[in-house]
Amino acid sequence: MAADNSFDIVSTVDFQEVRNAVDQAAREITSRYDLKKAQAGVALEGEEIHLRANDDFNVSQALEVVKSKLVRRKIHLKSCRFGEVEPAAGGTARQTVTFQQGIPTETSKKIVAEIKRLKLKVQASIQGDSLRISGKKRDQLQEVIAHLKEMDLDVPLNFTNYRSS
């Protein structure tokens, strides 16, 4: 009799890579003439990116620089939650970008329903903000992974802790 195989589905963000992306974006923003004139800036505070400039347009320009650096560092933009551009002190504008860590409950339920729809002999269990998928056949687990990679979800998925016994 075959033993159980399993893997976890998580959604995490590597904040070291976010820090590197923000540092690169800050250097580009300070060297670009149009953004320097707009007094644009970007900073990482905790797990939030703060953008500022003298108007909405320049905040959005700075955001495009940040997005390009995040993508280059393999940070999926689906993990980002972009706040509204707000007026700030001195007639300037600002925007905050936060990150989704973990899989929201609604998305977890959608993933479990999709796995059940596949009618494979695997079990999916929600464990807080992650999921554990287990089954007897490795092929079926790989089929689940392939199917989930094709789904268009609101968060990027990472497949970790593959255990084969």
Side-chain angles (χ1 to χ4, degrees), residues 33-125:
Y33 179 74
D34 59 334
L35 293 175
K36 192 187 299 186
K37 217 165 77 172
Q39 298 159 353
V42 60
L44 181 67
E45 295 174 17
E47 295 186 352
E48 293 182 340
I49 297 173
H50 296 278
L51 298 147
R52 61 178 165 63
N54 61 0
D55 61 27
D56 296 12
F57 175 75
N58 287 310
V59 167
S60 68
Q61 291 295 95
L63 179 61
E64 289 307 311
V65 172
V66 170
K67 283 180 179 179
S68 74
K69 302 302 180 189
L70 288 170
V71 168
R72 200 170 289 151
R73 291 236 160 234
K74 300 198 178 1
I75 301 297
H76 206 293
L77 293 181
K78 283 186 177 182
S79 326
C80 300
R81 299 294 178 256
F82 303 101
E84 295 294 315
V85 176
E86 312 168 328
T92 62
R94 67 176 176 225
Q95 184 175 16
T96 301
V97 179
T98 57
F99 293 90
Q100 171 69 44
Q101 290 276 60
I103 303 172
T105 307
E106 283 306 308
T107 306
S108 293
K109 289 177 181 175
K110 192 186 303 182
I111 291 169
V112 169
E114 189 62 25
I115 291 170
K116 285 181 180 173
R117 194 186 65 74
L118 292 173
K119 296 196 180 341
L120 297 172
K121 290 185 178 174
V122 296
Q123 291 76 43
S125 60

